Amino acid sequence: QVQLVESGGGLVQAGGSLRLSCVASGRAFSTYDMGWFRQAPGQEREFVAAISRSGGNPRYTDSVKGRFSISRNNAKNTVYLQMNSLKPEDTAVYYCNAINPGGQRGIRPWGQGTQVTVSS
């Protein structure tokens, strides 16, 4: 079973950057594709980015392409989300989760997430 702990969120001005981290417990981390998701107030959780189990094939939702970058370190059981050129509409709670290959839905219990707030 994979348990997930997200960190790295905070308050940042528009145009700024943050780097989110997600540490997964358990030995199976390297066998999963991983994704980042976000949920803004009053909205459903949405897919943001994904990366394959080997660290290749990154993909992104259109609204973050060119600004966000996903990566992982399997030796540290950690997946990252580098967020640059942040916009107020990026404000949300950010979550990571395991996903099926090519999928856009989390397949394990959700962690608590990390809050990202972008001020204008």
Side-chain angles (χ1 to χ4, degrees):
Q1 187 68 290
V2 174
Q3 293 180 318
L4 306 160
V5 178
E6 301 91 347
S7 64
L11 173 64
V12 64
Q13 290 188 333
S17 298
L18 284 173
R19 189 194 195 203
L20 306 184
S21 299
C22 168
V23 179
S25 65
R27 301 179 180 179
F29 175 78
S30 62
T31 68
Y32 289 105
D33 287 17
M34 294 295 294
W36 280 97
F37 302 80
R38 66 187 180 187
Q39 186 168 19
Q43 297 186 21
E44 293 189 355
R45 186 150 36 202
E46 65 170 352
F47 168 82
V48 174
I51 192 167
S52 73
R53 65 192 68 181
S54 66
N57 195 31
R59 49 194 177 88
Y60 305 90
T61 193
D62 286 347
S63 62
V64 308
K65 284 180 180 177
R67 300 188 298 122
F68 290 12
S69 177
I70 188 171
S71 61
R72 69 189 293 165
N73 184 331
N74 286 344
K76 294 184 177 181
N77 275 21
T78 303
V79 60
Y80 305 96
L81 187 68
Q82 177 67 44
M83 306 188 296
N84 300 326
S85 302
L86 282 160
K87 304 176 180 180
E89 50 264 44
D90 295 318
T91 294
V93 179
Y94 283 72
Y95 304 86
C96 68
N97 207 327
I99 60 174
N100 289 318
Q104 294 188 355
R105 291 187 175 186
I107 59 173
R108 289 293 177 257
W110 295 95
Q112 293 186 331
T114 186
Q115 175 70 49
V116 172
T117 304
V118 184
S119 63
S120 56

